[in-house]
Amino acid sequence: MTPPVHDGAVRRSARRKAMPPIRFKDSPPSVNTHSKKRKTPDIKNKSQRNREDIQEDCTSDGDEGLSAYELERLENIRQNQAFLSSMNILQAMEELKQCTRPKPSQRGLMRSHAAVKEVLPARKSLRLLNIKAETLTLPPEPSRRLTYTPYLSIKHPAGPLPMNPVNMEQGSKLPSQLLELCSEDSTTERKVDLKLKEYGSALKIMRITEETVAKVVKERVFSAAFHPCTSSLLMATGDMGGHLGLWKLGGDWGDDGVLLFRPHTRPVSCLAFSRVQPTHLLSLSYDGSLRCMDVEKAVFDEVFIEDDLRTFDFLSHDCSTLLVGNWNGEVAIVDRRTPGNSHESLHSLDPKTLRCVSVHPLQKQYFAVAEHSVVSIYDSRCLQKNHSQAVSTLQGHSLSISSAYFSPRTGNRVLTTCLDNHIRIYDTSAMTAESPLLTSIGHNMRTGRWLSKLSAVWDPKQEDCFVVGSLSNPRRVEVFHESGKPLHCFKDDENLKTVQSVTAFHPTRNALLGGNSSGRLHVFTD
């Protein structure tokens, strides 16, 4: 059927004439010239004047072919750019691109390159290759009787070990400057404590820089200590894998002054330099060994061997007798002058556990023990094989106690760190049956699984001040007075961005170190 032919003009819809022009995707939802709602004469006249001005500018530049809509779009773009420029947003965007998080300090141990993995051939379907599959036999049924394989812990190597740095070429000898530095006479001590105002001023001068941050050990820092020398800063630290690192700040040996050894196979939980023989560094590890690093002989000697060792302290002024504690709640008295690697006597104190021992700085017969939920002070002259009677107890802890230390000069205070999120200071000047609590400071101690536990330690130069790491952001290290008053907070946005679980003050100089979970030491010094 043939459609009818209309002789007249084709009728078109009026709606089609009112449709607005098609806009570009990125064009602003600007003025709709066909809208009936916009009837304000001022805005219309202003828009018309802008179009005329832009048209004149574009005509002078040679852009005579632009429509009114395109001219209006260019004007909107110009106004938006002027608005952004007035708010400095473009400049802020450039600064944000440049403010990327800086990498951790690359000083110290070099990162070991991972071995190249062997590229295996691509797997192919045997069915598509028309290859018959192999016939597999089922494994035998398990017996009803369960068999347990005993846990074999990594034992420590027996006998003395040579001091061969693992971060240097095989056969390399120790630097001669190390022996000279360790043999330096460091008997000079500050005899009088500074006033709090002077002490706070000295702390404020201490700064950290990129040069005072270095990776000293491979894994998480478990313990750290300053050597008492004063001409240079020499630090020792032990990590989770049994490594022991020595770092001379500004040194030129090893990796940026770092020498790495491995005298142990498990975490090094306690380190201490001998005050009488500064060339001796004693280290205790979870592998059941207590060794003495003798820089003069260049060897790690065995001092004491026993399972489940935890902590130690010097029991005599000449540092020849040691008090060693283990996880089983026992303490052993070890005399380094006696041949062999056994103890003189062994005493059971707490049936649950033991985490820290601290010997009185003046009356060496007294020592404090951080047991399960109480700190007890014992007299080494009255110890029994079992059920020894404590001279004094420090009550008030509701959870496990991480550490307990006598004050460094008089021993009249005991500083405890507990997992109930409190740091406590007790008065032990009178040695009563129950020492009174002086101060309790709230402090977050929940480090979790991947960080070493926080532990508050005294400043050996100041009788009544101590330092502790912090979990707060931004990362910091805090110094307190025994009254609970905060004295100073060490912070640095550029060089201190991790939790410093292990902290220690230099015995004579104004220097503070902090160790983190990646094996780096951060040093604040004047």
Side-chain angles (χ1 to χ4, degrees), residues 2-3 12 129 157 239 255 283 285 302 319 357 399 452-453 499:
T2 306
R12 299 183 182 276
L129 297 176
D239 73 351
D255 297 324
S283 60
S285 173
E302 281 186 342
C319 301
V357 295
L399 292 177
S452 300
K453 289 189 178 357
V499 176

Side-chain angles (χ1 to χ4, degrees), residues 489-501:
C489 183
F490 291 97
K491 292 188 293 186
D492 190 281
D493 295 336
E494 294 290 333
N495 302 296
L496 188 67
K497 296 189 176 183
T498 54
V499 176
Q500 307 299 304
S501 299

Side-chain angles (χ1 to χ4, degrees), residues 148-266:
Y148 297 95
T149 56
Y151 171 74
L152 300 176
S153 61
I154 303 176
K155 292 293 183 181
H156 57 84
L161 300 176
M163 289 183 63
N164 296 328
V166 298
N167 63 327
M168 297 177 66
E169 296 181 0
Q170 190 173 5
S172 300
K173 295 183 179 180
L174 293 177
S176 58
Q177 300 93 334
L178 178 61
L179 178 58
E180 297 175 1
L181 188 61
C182 293
S183 303
E184 180 181 319
D185 185 12
S186 55
T187 57
T188 305
E189 294 185 4
R190 186 192 296 169
K191 299 299 181 182
V192 180
D193 292 348
L194 297 177
K195 296 181 180 179
L196 284 184
K197 187 175 181 180
E198 298 175 354
Y199 181 69
S201 301
L203 295 177
K204 293 178 182 178
I205 300 175
M206 298 165 61
R207 293 288 184 271
I208 185 174
T209 61
E210 185 179 357
E211 289 73 22
T212 61
V213 180
K215 186 175 179 62
V216 184
V217 286
K218 293 185 176 182
E219 301 181 45
R220 185 204 313 177
V221 173
F222 259 68
S223 56
F226 271 106
H227 189 275
C229 62
T230 56
S231 61
S232 299
L233 292 179
L234 179 63
M235 292 145 282
T237 182
D239 73 351
M240 188 176 180
H243 297 92
L244 193 152
L246 295 178
W247 178 33
K248 178 191 174 184
L249 190 63
D252 55 356
W253 61 59
D255 297 324
D256 297 321
V258 175
L259 297 176
L260 185 66
F261 311 92
R262 198 182 184 193
H264 303 283
T265 57
R266 296 194 63 198

Side-chain angles (χ1 to χ4, degrees), residues 306-324:
E306 188 179 288
D307 293 337
D308 303 324
L309 295 184
R310 176 62 180 89
T311 181
F312 79 93
D313 198 4
F314 297 109
L315 194 58
S316 60
H317 292 282
D318 60 356
C319 301
S320 61
T321 308
L322 306 176
L323 183 71
V324 185

Side-chain angles (χ1 to χ4, degrees), residues 96-123:
L96 186 61
K97 292 179 182 179
Q98 297 177 0
C99 292
T100 56
R101 185 176 181 179
K103 295 182 179 180
S105 173
Q106 302 301 314
R107 301 178 63 84
L109 296 179
M110 305 298 293
R111 181 178 298 178
S112 58
H113 298 283
V116 180
K117 294 184 178 179
E118 181 183 359
V119 180
L120 300 177
R123 299 179 61 183

